Amino acid sequence: MVTLPRLVLLPGMDGSGTLFEPLLAQLGPDLPTTVVRYPPDQPLGYVELEALVRAVLPKRGPYFLLGESFSGPIALSLAAQQPGDLQGLLLCCTFARNPYPSLAIAQALLPFLRFGHPPLWLLETLLLGKDRRPALSQALNQALAPLTDRTMKARLSAVLSVSPPPRLDHIQIPSLYLQAQSDRVVPARAYDALLGLLPNLHKASLAGPHCLLQTQPAAAAQVIRNFIKQHTRLR
């Protein structure tokens, strides 16, 4: 069995990496993976989290990078810097700049707000949509539970203030955007904005909510595997 290049996965807002488990079960044993996990009790922004990710990227051998939702800007920034033998970039339900510019003013209010954990029904509606299932709801709740108030504020602040990283025109590697057709969190215009920055960015549109990799793991895994197989450079 020929082993494919490694896939490095960067998690969504929860940062736990545990929500990738349905996808990992579908990717197959010939596709090695590294799941990056963000500390739940440290209020780190995109600059600090990017440094954390860089430290765990493969030093040798080819790999592909996947940035889900919150982590899209980190994946974009790293791809622009071409670290190691990065052969391809995958972006899932994500953005290069704040997907809701009208909310940018809320950043100034974050220090004065206190966050509790949102009701599970609201998270299910936004993130899982019609695909909610007890196991997924439980996994989502467990992934978010360890996040401290300061950590959540730091991540929300990062999203509200993010802008496209420099040197995006340096991204020459194959790039693919996985878009959820029923995404209630990241609007479809986020892909259009990315396409304006990365004209060679292709799109795979799949039926499903924002948590696409969790609710449609088999379909997403097939798209990811095909992309990696198609763009792996043989040596």
Side-chain angles (χ1 to χ4, degrees):
M1 179 174 62
V2 177
T3 300
L4 296 169
R6 181 167 294 276
L7 175 64
V8 179
L9 300 106
L10 311 185
M13 180 75 79
D14 66 288
S16 70
T18 59
L19 293 177
F20 284 130
E21 290 178 4
L23 176 70
L24 297 177
Q26 297 289 333
L27 286 175
D30 60 330
L31 178 56
T33 58
T34 295
V35 175
V36 179
R37 305 177 193 278
Y38 304 148
D41 56 350
Q42 297 180 32
L44 306 178
Y46 277 134
V47 172
E48 297 84 2
L49 291 172
E50 182 179 327
L52 184 154
V53 173
R54 180 182 290 278
V56 300
L57 291 178
K59 302 299 187 294
R60 299 177 59 184
Y63 69 99
F64 285 69
L65 184 62
L66 185 152
E68 180 190 29
S69 189
F70 170 80
S71 287
I74 298 175
L76 282 165
S77 180
L78 288 169
Q81 299 168 54
Q82 307 174 42
D85 191 8
L86 178 61
Q87 293 197 356
L89 172 67
L90 297 112
L91 302 167
C92 182
C93 301
T94 189
F95 45 85
R97 55 170 54 92
N98 178 0
Y100 295 98
S102 61
L103 296 181
I105 192 174
Q107 185 178 14
L109 302 176
L110 286 177
F112 307 101
L113 300 179
R114 183 171 181 82
F115 289 94
H117 289 290
L120 187 57
W121 66 265
L122 178 60
L123 293 176
E124 290 177 338
T125 299
L126 290 175
L127 302 177
L128 303 178
K130 297 179 180 179
D131 296 277
R132 68 188 72 175
R133 295 187 294 275
L136 273 180
S137 298
Q138 182 179 9
L140 181 63
N141 195 38
Q142 291 176 344
L144 291 170
L147 290 177
T148 65
D149 186 76
R150 293 174 64 233
T151 299
M152 182 60 77
K153 285 182 180 179
R155 293 182 187 172
L156 287 172
S157 178
V159 171
L160 292 174
S161 61
V162 71
S163 58
R167 302 187 300 275
L168 281 185
D169 58 332
H170 289 195
I171 299 179
Q172 302 298 324
I173 55 175
S175 303
L176 178 68
Y177 189 96
L178 281 76
Q179 186 176 67
Q181 295 173 4
S182 302
D183 197 333
R184 295 182 176 179
V185 178
V186 176
R189 63 177 178 270
Y191 166 74
D192 298 329
L194 270 167
L195 189 60
L197 300 167
L198 295 173
N200 294 323
L201 179 65
H202 296 281
K203 180 175 70 172
S205 180
L206 299 177
H210 182 70
C211 284
L212 185 65
L213 305 181
Q214 292 73 34
T215 59
Q216 303 297 327
Q222 183 177 4
V223 170
I224 292 168
R225 284 182 58 87
N226 289 343
F227 177 78
I228 291 175
K229 285 182 177 180
Q230 180 182 356
H231 296 291
T232 295
R233 297 193 298 269
L234 300 177
R235 298 180 177 275

